[in-house]
Amino acid sequence: MSQPAQPTPTPPASPLPDAVHRLVEVPGGRIHLVEQGTGPLVLMVHGFPESWYSWRHQLPALAAAGYRAVAIDVRGYGRSSKPREIPAYRMLAHVADNVGVLSALGEETAVIVGHDWGSPIAANTALLRPDLFTAVALLSVPYSPRGALRPTEAFTMLGGAEEFYINYFQEPGRAEAEIEPDVRGWLAGFYAGLSGDAKKSPSEADPRSDATSPSGQGALPLFSVPRGGKLSERFPVDPAPSPWLTDADLDFYADEFERTGLTGGLNRYRNVDRDWEDLAAWQGAPLTQPALFIGGELDAPTNWMADAIKAFPVTLPGLSASHILEGCGHWVQQERPEEVNRLLLDWLRVLPAPVGAP
């Protein structure tokens, strides 16, 4: 078994002074992670455009409850490796990173938790390595097995007369040119537009609702781009301050992306068809480990993937519970930290011990 990685110095002005920052070696390079506590390992995987920091409320809560809580910077983010090649961000590479983190920390098994893009990364990690990842919690994005339709074709249909945001993100450099002139402003608009503070009704969070689509084809306004336009054209105008996202929080994210750029995170979107090809052998495969799902009532992915939630009895047979948080938007664990912490801990406490555990 690999020896635990040696801690690196905590960066200046760390928002979690009790946490330990590490750089661990994995086959694809290095992963930066932040950990607190001792006990069974809970590995947390963030989404776009975030960082380990999106789990800042969960790290101390899990540590206090007797868990070794670890939040990573996904490859392409923070101090983790940032390969130049787009295929280096395929799903199989993210799965390998998570396996490498487990080994570098000297652990044999872990519970994995993911939000946004971190949710399918966590789900596929558990799907491909059930021997290592014994339970999985998914936030915002429900589990949906690999289907028959190529993803970019499906997203083209979803966008209708406009361009669905995932298709908009496909061309290297295009979204970067929109974001980089004002990283902080773009992030503020993106975070605000997807939060519960935007006060969207459930129907407005569903891109299949033609009544809310400027294209008349059902695309959620914030998730569709006018032909030749920019995603930021759909951001809220002068959004009110969010109680869950302080100026200091926004500064942290903006500082990270001013330093690293957004290409690493965007490259995840540029691999959706490659993932579909790589995972052909797992088409329709259920995820059988004990599972938990937490979504927001006003969270767009939770709403437009309602059919995936309905399919949980087949696709997620080990599901313990599915929770939809009233009035909550997309940034589930940040908008409702106390509620998410309670649901996670209640679920973790009743998980069966891994096979071979003392």
Side-chain angles (χ1 to χ4, degrees):
M1 180 184 301
S2 300
Q3 294 299 312
Q6 295 301 308
T8 59
T10 301
S14 171
L16 289 178
D18 294 333
V20 175
H21 290 248
R22 301 180 187 271
L23 291 174
V24 300
E25 297 297 320
V26 297
R30 70 179 185 278
I31 292 293
H32 169 241
L33 58 85
V34 180
E35 70 170 302
Q36 282 188 262
T38 58
L41 177 61
V42 179
L43 181 66
M44 292 174 280
V45 187
H46 68 81
F48 176 87
E50 302 176 85
S51 81
W52 73 266
Y53 187 71
S54 66
W55 302 103
R56 61 194 178 278
H57 303 296
Q58 286 66 52
L59 283 162
L62 292 174
Y67 295 93
R68 185 182 189 184
V70 173
I72 67 170
D73 275 334
V74 171
R75 65 165 56 198
Y77 290 83
R79 293 196 287 155
S80 293
S81 291
K82 301 165 188 64
R84 292 188 178 184
E85 302 81 8
I86 291 176
Y89 296 86
R90 68 205 313 155
M91 183 60 71
L92 294 182
H94 291 290
V95 171
D97 285 345
N98 291 336
V99 172
V101 166
L102 193 69
S103 176
L105 293 177
E107 299 282 358
E108 295 184 354
T109 61
V111 173
I112 190 165
V113 182
H115 168 258
D116 184 80
W117 258 122
S119 178
I121 292 174
N124 281 287
T125 299
L127 179 69
L128 272 61
R129 294 304 306 265
D131 55 323
L132 302 179
F133 297 91
T134 57
V136 57
L138 309 175
L139 278 60
S140 173
V141 179
Y143 177 60
S144 181
R146 192 259 197 200
L149 188 62
R150 183 176 291 273
T152 51
E153 294 176 5
F155 297 137
T156 297
M157 294 168 58
L158 189 56
E162 298 199 341
E163 190 173 16
F164 195 58
Y165 81 107
I166 293 180
N167 290 63
Y168 174 68
F169 285 164
Q170 292 300 303
E171 181 183 342
R174 183 181 177 193
E176 289 92 329
E178 172 186 342
I179 300 168
E180 289 175 358
D182 181 12
V183 171
R184 191 180 193 277
W186 193 93
L187 291 173
F190 193 73
Y191 294 150
L194 291 178
S195 76
D197 303 327
K199 295 183 173 61
K200 296 185 286 286
S201 69
S203 65
E204 290 175 316
D206 187 346
R208 295 170 295 184
S209 172
D210 289 350
T212 62
S213 170
S215 69
Q217 299 297 320
L220 175 68
L222 183 57
F223 280 94
S224 65
V225 180
R227 298 291 175 181
K230 297 178 179 179
L231 188 63
S232 56
E233 293 175 33
R234 295 284 161 73
F235 290 175
V237 177
D238 297 324
S242 296
W244 62 271
L245 187 73
T246 67
D247 283 343
D249 296 332
L250 184 57
D251 286 342
F252 182 91
Y253 286 124
D255 289 347
E256 287 285 270
F257 289 113
E258 288 282 7
R259 180 171 54 82
T260 67
L262 275 292
T263 297
L266 290 164
N267 280 344
R268 175 83 289 275
Y269 293 93
R270 294 163 184 160
N271 277 277
V272 291
D273 284 347
R274 190 171 286 109
D275 298 338
W276 183 77
E277 296 167 358
D278 288 343
L279 297 170
W282 287 272
Q283 179 161 327
L287 188 57
T288 59
Q289 290 97 317
L292 174 71
F293 177 73
I294 306 173
E297 179 195 19
L298 308 181
D299 183 2
T302 298
N303 280 277
W304 82 55
M305 297 184 71
D307 288 344
I309 294 174
K310 292 177 182 177
F312 278 169
V314 174
T315 62
L316 214 56
L319 184 71
S320 301
S322 179
H323 303 275
I324 305 297
L325 307 186
E326 184 177 354
C328 184
H330 180 64
W331 316 105
V332 183
Q333 75 273 27
Q334 298 181 80
E335 293 185 49
R336 299 293 177 80
E338 294 83 6
E339 196 168 358
V340 168
N341 291 349
R342 176 179 59 80
L343 294 173
L344 278 174
L345 289 171
D346 287 349
W347 174 68
L348 287 167
R349 291 187 184 108
V350 299
L351 287 179
V355 175

